[in-house]
Amino acid sequence: MMSRLGLALFLIGTIPAAAAPRPSTLPDRFDGTWSVEIITETGGCDRAYRYPVRIEHGRARFVGTAFVVEGGVARNGAIRGSISNGATTADVRGRLGSDGFGAGTWVASGALACRGYWNAERRG
């Protein structure tokens, strides 16, 4: 379960908070493939994960996950959200940069309690 939680930690920051459609002629500066590294600092979660995440028009895409994702990435790159998997919920905060890098923190609570940080790098 925690490997799925780690996979999805980054996803919460890539779903727009507002559901308003964006004009198709304006590219989202955070679109692309991001390599996300999740590091656990305390608690019972696995030590580290790394996953590719595709962002298109501010929305993350990762086929095959079974999570409840809420939150978003603001136009300035600020990330705030949460992700749930069963009895575990992770709150994620951070920022993506137009330079192709991002970072932040996460805290999981519920069935598993742990916390750590994440780093992201645009790969395409």
Side-chain angles (χ1 to χ4, degrees):
M1 180 172 91
M2 280 315 299
S3 62
R4 289 183 182 169
L5 180 61
L7 165 65
L9 285 173
F10 181 71
L11 297 179
I12 65 141
T14 58
I15 306 296
R22 297 179 183 178
S24 60
T25 58
L26 295 175
D28 189 308
R29 68 184 188 191
F30 304 111
D31 281 1
T33 300
W34 293 77
S35 177
V36 181
E37 177 184 41
I38 309 295
I39 304 293
T40 300
E41 293 180 298
T42 62
C45 299
D46 291 342
R47 173 68 181 133
Y49 315 93
R50 181 175 292 277
Y51 299 101
V53 175
R54 178 85 184 150
I55 301 175
E56 295 175 341
H57 304 293
R59 297 186 69 90
R61 182 177 56 131
F62 197 94
V63 179
T65 60
F67 297 97
V68 176
V69 177
E70 297 177 354
V73 57
R75 290 204 182 269
N76 69 357
I79 292 174
R80 182 176 175 168
S82 66
I83 184 164
S84 300
N85 181 355
T88 301
T89 298
D91 289 319
V92 177
R93 305 288 186 260
R95 183 172 302 275
L96 296 179
S98 58
D99 63 353
F101 294 93
T105 60
W106 61 272
V107 178
S109 60
L112 290 169
C114 41
R115 66 177 53 230
Y117 63 93
W118 60 267
N119 298 294
E121 180 179 356
R122 188 189 315 244
R123 296 285 173 97

